[in-house]
Amino acid sequence: MSTEFVNSVVAAIRNVTGGPSALHEPIFQGMEGRYVQQCVDTGWVSSVGAFVDRVESDLCGITGTKFAIATVNGTSALHIALLLAGVQRNEEVIVPALTFVGTANAISYCGAVPHFVDVCSKTLGMDAELLEEYLEAVAEVVGDGVRNRQTGRRIAAIVPMHTFGHPCDIVSLGALANRYRIPLVEDAAESLGSLYQQKHTGTFGRLGILSFNGNKIVTSGGGGAILTDDPALARQAKHLTTTAKVPHKWEYIHDCTGFNYRMPNINAALACAQLEQLPQFIEIKRSTALLYQEAFSGIDGVTVIVEPEGCKSNYWLNAIRLDNGRQQDRDLILRATNDAGLQTRPCWTPLNRLAMYQGSPASSLRTTDELYAQIINVPSGVGIGLTRRGERP
């Protein structure tokens, strides 16, 4: 019966959380207060300051990239990364339909059109095999790159996203992008600390981006970053995100349309303190993922989503997947868990269903539609693990 099944799911989640729990709340138990107070005391709270420089250096050390440019959020980072990749108005950018709306919005900011493709049930990210088949059917190699035979628009970039922190098949996607000479821009907004074959996500394409929103594994309140190994792209990224101002002691000269996208120093201070704790955060979240696997191991009809083979996930958001035939229980579980103080959420509404994107080109999205009907995100904050250890006040 549905009631019995729903109750067993609620009990399994509560067994891990120990009681009411938010989906993902930030934890501030390090140097956050001291670093932010230092900004206030010195007056360096805006987009210039020692913590901005430090967070960029720290991110290079963590991810292995040569350059990191701190921004006000992940969407702004992706907007600039797409512009630097050469995306122009009335061009198309291939993106998974199963992602946060910010991924597609950044494409729209460029005046371009998101082109939605399907995802893989094993990784939840863009399906390389299906994309290869799809490109063979719709893509035409021409003098200035690749065009969509059906729309006539140039396909300007491919943007894979690492869903819930789980790395997608980024190497295969990169090889496919190279074959078609389409720039790869990696949306690693959710996957700080995640590795694909020992290499950090966000570092496989020409450019990658991160997010430090309030619900991410590391937060600066708002914040993001652009990652690249290309010094020219890094210089241009910093220039564009600083209103394209030409350096001068007093004159305000701007050589192109720029953006006020630089991360403020006070946010960077928060990020620096959080990054110091990233190894501990990842260890705790991976332990919580194991607890969920144990809690659901005896419940038929539901499985816990785990990291893909050969990858190390930060398990930003834990998720369960209902088996075929149990989709009708999704909303019952969402209602019962939230009523019990256990904040759960469904996966994002597939972007091709949103009003502003219903006219965008799309491949068959069978797996996307299946996952949307089956996935439930469960409480995943670091505080769950700290509470179980008795380390949270």
Side-chain angles (χ1 to χ4, degrees), residues 158 171-184 204 206:
I158 296 175
V171 168
S172 297
L173 290 166
L176 186 61
N178 286 337
R179 189 195 317 166
Y180 278 90
R181 293 179 295 147
I182 304 174
L184 185 75
F204 288 83
R206 289 184 64 191

Side-chain angles (χ1 to χ4, degrees), residues 25-109:
E25 59 183 338
I27 291 293
F28 303 116
Q29 294 189 171
M31 300 291 286
E32 291 90 349
R34 183 178 299 182
Y35 291 169
V36 170
Q37 188 62 50
Q38 183 176 328
C39 293
V40 173
D41 291 343
T42 61
W44 291 96
V45 297
S46 195
S47 57
V48 176
F51 286 111
V52 179
D53 296 335
R54 177 180 160 185
V55 76
E56 292 176 337
S57 175
D58 288 351
L59 287 171
C60 289
I62 290 167
T63 65
T65 193
K66 291 181 180 178
F67 304 98
I69 298 87
T71 63
V72 293
N73 53 51
T75 305
S76 64
L78 184 56
H79 178 200
I80 296 300
L82 290 169
L83 291 177
L84 292 174
V87 175
Q88 300 181 40
R89 184 171 297 277
N90 295 322
E91 296 183 331
E92 293 180 9
V93 176
I94 291 176
V95 64
L98 197 70
T99 182
F100 179 62
V101 70
T103 310
N105 285 348
I107 297 168
S108 296
Y109 298 164

Side-chain angles (χ1 to χ4, degrees), residues 93-289:
V93 176
I94 291 176
V95 64
L98 197 70
T99 182
F100 179 62
V101 70
T103 310
N105 285 348
I107 297 168
S108 296
Y109 298 164
C110 299
V113 178
H115 186 150
F116 299 114
V117 296
D118 209 0
V119 297
C120 172
S121 60
K122 291 182 180 180
T123 68
L124 309 182
M126 192 180 287
D127 190 311
E129 292 184 6
L130 291 180
L131 180 58
E132 182 175 17
E133 295 175 5
Y134 184 62
L135 286 176
E136 289 176 355
V138 304
E140 177 184 13
V141 178
V142 292
D144 62 345
V146 176
R147 292 191 178 274
N148 182 339
R149 289 192 180 97
Q150 299 171 347
T151 65
R153 291 188 289 251
R154 189 174 80 98
I155 299 175
I158 296 175
V159 182
M161 196 275 288
H162 303 288
T163 309
F164 308 148
H166 301 306
C168 65
D169 187 6
I170 191 64
V171 168
S172 297
L173 290 166
L176 186 61
N178 286 337
R179 189 195 317 166
Y180 278 90
R181 293 179 295 147
I182 304 174
L184 185 75
V185 178
E186 202 175 343
D187 184 346
E190 302 171 0
S191 59
L192 177 65
S194 296
L195 306 176
Y196 181 101
Q197 296 178 356
Q198 303 303 311
K199 185 176 180 179
H200 200 286
T201 54
T203 64
F204 288 83
R206 289 184 64 191
L207 299 126
I209 68 99
L210 298 169
S211 171
F212 311 119
N213 186 38
N215 66 353
K216 294 301 189 292
I217 187 169
V218 158
T219 183
S220 55
I226 302 165
L227 309 178
T228 185
D229 285 337
D230 187 317
L233 289 177
R235 284 192 299 272
Q236 189 66 359
K238 187 171 182 179
H239 184 60
L240 287 176
T241 55
T242 317
T243 67
K245 185 179 183 298
V246 178
H248 194 280
K249 287 185 177 181
W250 58 82
E251 292 286 4
Y252 289 91
I253 304 297
H254 306 262
D255 59 7
C256 66
T257 300
F259 304 87
N260 190 13
Y261 279 176
R262 285 289 278 168
M263 179 187 286
N265 196 50
I266 197 166
N267 293 92
L270 197 62
C272 288
Q274 289 269 288
L275 288 171
E276 291 174 350
Q277 302 165 80
L278 179 61
Q280 180 193 19
F281 288 172
I282 292 174
E283 186 271 325
I284 290 173
K285 290 173 72 63
R286 290 179 62 82
S287 296
T288 301

